Amino acid sequence: MAPLLEISGLRAYYGATEALHGLSFSIAQGGITTLLGANGAGKTTTLRAISGLVRREGSIVFDGRPIDKMATEDITRLGVAHVPEGRGTFVGLSVEENLKIASYGRRDKSGVRRDLDLVFTYFPRLKERIAQQAGTLSGGEQQMLAISRALMLGPRLMLLDEPSFGLAPLIVQEIFQIMRRINEEAGVSMLLVEQNAALALNLAENAYVLETGNVVMAGPSAELKNDEGIRKSYLGY
Amino acid sequence: MEQLIQQIASGLASGAIYALVALALVMIFTATDHLNFAQGEMAMFSTYICWQLIQWGFPFWPALGFTILFSFLLGVAIERVILRPLHNASVLSIVVVFIGLLAIFHSLAGGIWSHTIKNFPSPFPNVTFAGSGYIGAHQIGMILVSLLMLFALFAFFRFTPLGLAMRAAAQNPVSARLVGVKVDWMLALGWGLAAAVGAVAGAMVAPVVYLEPNMMASILLYGFAGALVGGISNPAGAVFGGFLVGVLENLVAYFGNLTEKTFGIYIVGNGEKLTVALIIVITILTLKPAGLFGRTTVRRV
């Protein structure tokens, strides 16, 4: 089967500084793939380059279509939902409005209703807080809202940037369980960036390790978990 | 007492105009973090368009309708053509562009229509009715039209998908793009709406202050004051601030005249309205820098 996302020779720039030096990797249809790496390795930049939030060069093909020249808004509408670092909450809008805004570009109104029901089954807490201002939610609830907002886009691929960041372990566990369900039940493929490598390797089937803007290692998560280098640098035992 | 009510009523009438100008300023500010210094001159230019149409024989309301549409398109065009290339420019260059726009509209209006003061017709019938000793028909009309405009805008932002997209784009542009909102177009739309609101303010106040290229100068200042007092980041607050400044300036004159009559000492009068109003504004801002209803934004770094 052709990969859902295929990236080759990807370079990204912040001003004149090159942050990614020709990355190549691909994501299989239907699976969860994770990008590991230390701070500054280029994980977030890779996601931002796919979404067109930074200047980039190279080839990015999503579902057979080149998206490397497209604007962020259009990539989003093709079915790539980016859950950004820091959750990207619209703090002044209500929870309901945060969800609504993501579904405006969609034509399939029945699909929108189905996805909204799905969101409330996964995160009943959001239903309770539907009228509340999103800025008053706790960090965990805002992360749930961010994932829900992405889900309301009706995506085929979710880009998740550090969904565990700053959250209590129990909440993280809950959110990661839901992520697996979204992957299995809604058929959404995922590209996950995580500081917490153990967590990421447990969820994902495949992993790539980034170092200063290059892919230095790749393989099935199970293999990488047992790699001595990975264990020492990222898993800490 | 009668005089006091009269002063408050006419304060509310001019306050309605300040509220509209304040709202126009806030709409652009919340989306771009810039204060559009050219807002007043753009409104003045629109008012001239309306005047010209009336001269050509159009009735007032169709003329105003066309003017609103024209101003909207002009606002959109200014954003797309002039400001779009400057999205990443420094604050200073943008301020210079705003001042340039101000000068351009000012001299354009003067060049096309000359600098002589013109009468601008009021669309409201000059009738007398109960209580008309307190407030004129045009003043009531001003308040009503402004309130109508304000409610229409609030309904637009609160209840329509486009209004929600504009609010989202203003609050968090990156997140908005990630949910498919065309943020660039939302900015242009914001400029268009602000220009349209300004056009209404101009056409409503022109019968009172008469039409000339400088007509909006002090009104823009009051509008700024209203927006800052109410909170530049809060549309409802800015509207309230506009009304507050309008009433305040008239009360200053009223109480100034009262003290002069009672004690024979002249402290403040009509001439110091603007000064005293601005002193009050500065005092409020010193005590509450974000304005009465503004929220201080805290940035996590």
Side-chain angles (χ1 to χ4, degrees), chain B residues 41-53 56 61-79 105 108-109 112-113 188 191-200:
Chain B
E41 305 308 281
M42 284 164 62
M44 174 273 294
F45 191 82
S46 299
T47 311
Y48 267 105
I49 300 281
C50 191
W51 177 84
Q52 185 66 67
L53 290 168
W56 284 339
W61 294 110
L64 181 62
F66 180 84
T67 305
I68 290 174
L69 187 69
F70 170 85
S71 311
F72 176 80
L73 294 177
L74 183 71
V76 171
I78 289 176
E79 204 286 330
F105 280 115
L108 213 56
I112 300 174
W113 291 289
W191 266 80
L193 281 180
V197 171
V200 173

Side-chain angles (χ1 to χ4, degrees), chain A residues 48 51-53 71-74 76-77 82 84 87-93 97 100-102 104 133 149 153, chain B residues 157-158 160-162 164-169 171-184 295 300:
Chain A
R48 292 170 62 87
S51 293
L53 290 172
T72 304
E73 303 88 280
D74 301 322
T76 301
R77 279 161 197 258
H82 188 150
R87 300 160 196 142
T89 312
F90 297 107
V91 291
L93 304 184
E97 286 172 329
K100 250 193 196 168
I101 183 99
Y104 279 151
Q133 236 189 26
R149 210 169 43 232
L153 287 164
Chain B
F157 281 113
R158 180 69 187 77
T160 68
L162 195 58
L164 176 56
M166 285 179 71
R167 280 188 293 150
Q171 273 188 25
N172 193 335
V174 174
S175 263
R177 293 178 67 196
L178 289 177
V179 291
V181 173
K182 298 209 180 292
V183 172
D184 284 344
R295 229 175 306 132
R300 246 187 222 176

